[in-house]
Amino acid sequence: MEKKEFQAESHRLLDLMVNSIYTHKEIFLRELISNASDAIDKLAYRALTDDKVGVERDEFKITLTPDQIARTLTISDNGIGMTHDELEENLGTIAKSGSLQFKKDMAAKDAGEGKSDVDIIGQFGVGFYSAFMVADQVTVTSRAYGSEEAWRWASDGKDGYTMEPCRKDSVGTEVVLHIKPNTEEEHYDEFLEQYRISDLVKKYSDYIHYPIVMLMHKSRQKPRPEDAGEDYKPEWEDYDEWETLNSMVPLWQRPKEEVTQEEYNQFYKEKYGDWEDPLRVIHIRGEGMVDFRAMLYIPAHAPYNFYTRDYQKGLQLYSSGVLIMDQCPDLLPDHFRFVKGVVDSQDFSLNISREMLQHTRQLKMVAKNLEKNIKNELLKLQKEDRSKYEQFWKAFGTQIKYGVLDDYGSHKDLLKDLLLFWSSKEGKLVTLAEYKDRMPEEQKYIYFAAGESVDKIAALPQTERIRDKGYEILYLTEEPDEFVVNALGELDGKAFKSVNDEDALPATDEEKAQAEKQAEENKDVLAFVKETLGDKIHEARISKILKTGAVCLTTEGPITLEMEKYFRRVDPEHSGDMRAQRVLELNPESEAFAALRTAVDSDKEKAGVYAELLYNQALLIAGLPLEDPVRYTQLVCSLMR
Ligand code: ADP
C-alpha cells in the first residue's frame, strides 16, 4: 500500500470542506453524480468510434446504494474510470488554474467579506472534495477503460491518502462514503435514508441523462388468498425494487413554458460553476433546414480568465441527448464567445468525426441562427432592463467592441446597435441610435472625444465649443473605442467626427476670413514656436477649435494621441513608429497668446520659455506624460523670479 500526502493546496481546501464552510452539505451528492455522469459521457463518446467498448447505450447508469448498518453511501458508475495515475492526479491534487482564484475567494469569505452562501464548490473543479463535508472516510475504487487492473484510493480527508491495487470486475468507478456520525447540529443520518436521497436526486440531478437507480426497500399488501375467509386480515410484505430516480429529460428538451427560472438558473450554476445567476436565458427551438434545441446563457459577469488566452469559447453539442462534443467552438462567433450553453439536434450524426463536424453545413446554419437570437435577446435586454444591460456591457462590452474590429469590420452592422458610449449630454451610457435620434436637425456629425476618463475628457478645452452649441459628444474612454468609431465611419449617413477636427463645426465665411487673417498676422509667432519645439511637434497653428482654453494638442494623420498611448502599451519597442503627429493649437484670443506675441517681438529668450510651457501644458491636458518634468518645473520657477 502506498501512502501519500495531499498537495498543499488540496490540503487547505479539504480543511475548508471538512470544517464545512458550506451550509448546503447536501450538494455533495449532486457533485458526485455529476462526476459519474461526465465519466459515462466520456465512455459513451468513446463507444461512438470504438466498438470494443462493449457497453450498450442503454446499459449506462449510476447506482446509489445506502447501507444504514455500515453507514455507507455508495455511488457507482460504469463510465470511463481512472488509472492509477489519474486517481492520484485528479483526487490528490488540485492542478486546476482556478484553484488560486478559489483560494482568493475563500480568503475573502474567511475575512467575512464574501457572500455567506455562494456556491463556490462546483465552480473551480473541486467538487469531489465536497464528499468530505458528510463523510469521514472516502474510498474510490476505479478501473479505467482499456485496463485490466483496478486501484483503490482511500482517505479520511485529513493528512493524505492511500493507494492500493485491487480487483474490480467491470470498468467504472465506485465511490464509497462513510457517513459521519450525527452531531448536535448536524444530522448526517439523513444521507443514508432512501427517500431523502431520492429527493436530492430529483432536486439537483433530475435531468442527468443516464438513469440514476437505487434499490428501494418497500412494503406492499400481500394478494388476498383465494380461500381467505370472512375474518381475513390483510398482510404486508417487504420487497426490494430498482427504481430510476431521475426523469432524464434534459431541461432544453422540455417546453419553455414548463421550465421555471429557478431550474434554468440552477442548471447554469451547476454546469458552468458560476455562483451568480445568469443575466438572461435563451431557450430556442429551431425548425427548418436543421431541427435543433438550444439553451443559451448570458453570464452576469466575466469569468476570471475571460480576457486571457486560457478562456475557450464553445457550446456543448448533443445529438438526441448524447453528448458528441463538449466545447464546440464553431457554434459561436468570437464576438459572442461569452455565451454558455448547449445545442441538441438529431440532425447531427453521432458517428461524425470532430474534424468533419467543423465543416458541416448544418453546423453553420445553427450557428447563424444562434447569433441572430443572441443579438435579439441582447437588444431586448437593452430596451427592457437597462441596468441589467449595463451590467452585461460592463462584463462583455469590450468583447463586443473588438467584435466590431475583427475580420475587417465585417460584423459591424450586426454589432453596432449593441454599443454603448458615455454621453456628455445624458451623463450616462447611451446607444448610437439614441444619440442620433436626439440630434438637432442642423447638426452634421456625431461628435466624439477620446481620453482616459470621462472627467478628463469633459475638461478638454476643445470640447467646449461643441457642447456650447448644444451638441452631444460621445466620450471614449476605453482603448479600442477610437478604432471602433473609425471602423464604423458613419451611422445612417452621419459621419463620426473628432472634436479635434479643425472643421468639426462648420465655419461661416466670415469666421473663415477671420481665421485666415489671424493666421497671417501671427505667422512669425507660429514659425517661432515650431522652431523652438523642433521635432516635438508637427505644426503649430492658430486654433479654430478652442473657445476659452489657451492651448490644446491635436494630431495630423491617422494616428491619434489615444492610439499612440495604446501602441505604446501593447508594443513599447516599436511604438516609436506609431507616434502621433502632434499639432499645438494656440488660441489667439487668449491672454497667454497675447503674452507670447509680445515676447516674440521683444524678448526672444522669454518667448522660448513661453513656447515650451504652452507645449507642456497641452501635454498635461491631453493626459500625456511630460517629456522632461524637471525642466518644466525649472521653467515655471523662472517665471516666479
Ligand atoms: P471536476 O469534476 O469539476 O473536474 P472534481 O474534483 O469533482 O472536479 O473531480 C476531479 C476529476 O476527477 C474529474 O475532472 C475527473 O477527471 C475525475 N473524476 C471524478 N469522479 C470521477 C468518476 N466517477 N469517474 C471518472 N473520473 C472521475
Side-chain angles (χ1 to χ4, degrees), residues 31-32 35-36 38-39 42 77 80-82 90-91 96 122 124-129 142 173 175:
E31 296 295 319
L32 296 179
N35 280 350
D38 288 348
K42 285 180 195 152
D77 65 70
I80 196 146
M82 283 177 274
N90 294 335
L91 310 184
K96 309 270 163 61
F124 298 107
V126 289
F128 171 75
Y129 288 153
S142 197
T173 302
V175 179

Side-chain angles (χ1 to χ4, degrees), residues 61-279:
K61 63 174 183 241
I62 299 163
T63 310
L64 305 181
T65 317
D67 180 337
Q68 300 205 331
I69 293 162
R71 282 191 79 77
T72 57
L73 173 62
T74 304
I75 297 109
S76 53
D77 65 70
N78 50 357
I80 196 146
M82 283 177 274
T83 62
H84 171 275
D85 291 355
E86 283 166 346
L87 270 170
E88 288 218 311
E89 184 161 322
N90 294 335
L91 310 184
T93 63
I94 308 177
K96 309 270 163 61
S97 56
S99 60
L100 253 177
Q101 181 65 28
F102 180 84
K103 280 198 357 190
K104 260 198 241 143
D105 282 25
M106 290 310 299
K109 209 175 145 98
D110 281 354
E113 300 161 22
K115 294 181 200 162
S116 65
D117 210 25
V118 285
D119 187 353
I120 36 184
I121 287 173
Q123 193 188 355
F124 298 107
V126 289
F128 171 75
Y129 288 153
S130 64
F132 289 102
M133 294 195 298
V134 300
D136 48 22
Q137 173 78 27
V138 177
T139 315
V140 182
T141 308
S142 197
R143 184 174 141 194
Y145 172 65
S147 167
E148 288 303 316
E149 56 179 34
W151 283 85
R152 179 167 298 143
W153 178 101
S155 173
D156 59 4
K158 293 199 180 95
D159 308 318
Y161 56 92
T162 58
M163 290 280 287
E164 61 182 323
C166 63
R167 268 190 59 88
K168 190 171 183 309
D169 291 337
S170 56
V171 168
T173 302
E174 187 181 276
V175 179
V176 182
L177 310 182
H178 187 265
I179 301 293
K180 290 181 183 176
N182 283 347
T183 64
E184 249 168 56
E185 300 93 53
E186 301 280 355
H187 289 269
Y188 295 103
D189 278 3
E190 60 179 292
F191 302 122
L192 296 165
E193 287 162 18
Q194 58 180 15
Y195 288 107
R196 176 77 171 123
I197 294 169
S198 161
D199 283 348
L200 286 178
V201 170
K202 288 200 179 72
K203 182 165 170 195
Y204 292 115
S205 312
D206 190 58
Y207 56 81
I208 292 280
H209 46 267
Y210 304 104
I212 302 168
V213 300
M214 183 159 71
L215 192 62
M216 298 285 273
H217 192 65
K218 300 176 173 178
S219 62
R220 64 183 161 205
Q221 241 177 40
K222 279 189 186 172
R224 187 187 170 99
E226 273 175 24
D227 55 353
E230 286 282 298
D231 56 350
Y232 172 76
K233 286 215 188 75
E235 283 180 44
W236 292 79
E237 64 179 358
D238 288 352
Y239 70 104
D240 289 331
E241 186 176 59
W242 285 102
E243 206 171 280
T244 298
L245 308 176
N246 54 331
S247 72
M248 286 187 283
V249 180
L251 217 51
W252 58 86
Q253 292 288 5
R254 285 166 44 193
K256 236 189 219 59
E257 310 74 54
E258 286 176 21
V259 187
T260 65
Q261 194 59 42
E262 185 48 40
E263 283 175 303
Y264 280 131
N265 292 353
Q266 167 76 31
F267 178 92
Y268 167 81
K269 289 194 279 194
E270 183 181 330
K271 186 113 181 170
Y272 304 107
D274 198 344
W275 69 90
E276 208 175 332
D277 286 339
L279 275 187

